[in-house]
Amino acid sequence: MAPTFKYAAMSRRAALTAAALASMAFVAGCTGKAGGAAEGDMAMGAGAEAKVTVVEYASVTCGHCAVWNEEVWPEFKTKYVDTKKVRYVFREFPTPPQDIAVAGFLIARCAGEDKYFDVVHDIMASQKEWLTGVQPRTTLFRVGQAAGLSQTQIEECIRDKVAIEKMSDRIKAGIDAGVQGTPTFLVNGVKVADSSLSGLSAAIDAELAKK
């Protein structure tokens, strides 16, 4: 029997706040800087002193993000992250359905920094299941449990008021930075429209070549 996903436990007010902030992204003006360090960043590869920092704003419920994660990420990771040529920073920017996206990110953080990216990638990969009728909540519990969380821990995780408020702050920071959709990529603070490996490589290699 599939576990019951307690959306109410996340608190209706908090869920609506996150949803409202995320929806504002489509009308927000471009203010602030999206490329600098931000509280709550999840990163891989080179350290904070890296010559090149690549920032991705993405959502676990974003179809385009899932495609990029499947088709581009493996080679991008091998070429730039594993070699520590760049610092790769992932920033959470929930897209519809926002309650699923917010819950997914909360679970990923509860799984711990060492499992965070695995959880995020697993949820994205599971989007295909949703097209066949599998409920997203079933996916979230399955992925969370695979990361070592119990059902009780998952339920506590998604109703953690402090974590939800921090999530709201991160969403607002993205909106203030001018992010209007996902995935959005920045290389050393400059938005790169072409998110293919060749497009990102052109921007990254140009920065690496600078003295």
Side-chain angles (χ1 to χ4, degrees), residues 20-44:
L21 284 169
S23 65
M24 283 170 57
F26 298 97
V27 296
C30 294
T31 59
K33 295 183 178 180
E39 185 176 354
D41 279 351
M42 302 301 288
M44 299 176 67

Side-chain angles (χ1 to χ4, degrees), residues 150-178:
S150 68
Q151 180 175 334
T152 298
Q153 288 175 318
I154 293 171
E155 291 173 350
E156 291 175 348
C157 176
I158 61 176
R159 62 172 177 258
D160 185 328
K161 293 182 179 180
V162 173
I164 292 169
E165 289 303 321
K166 289 182 178 179
M167 172 72 67
S168 294
D169 290 342
R170 290 192 293 275
I171 296 170
K172 186 176 185 302
I175 294 170
D176 290 344

Side-chain angles (χ1 to χ4, degrees), residues 107-127:
I107 292 170
R109 287 184 176 268
C110 285
E113 290 188 17
D114 59 327
K115 297 179 181 178
Y116 175 85
F117 284 103
D118 289 337
V119 172
V120 166
H121 294 170
D122 285 350
I123 295 174
M124 285 188 183
S126 296
Q127 287 183 22

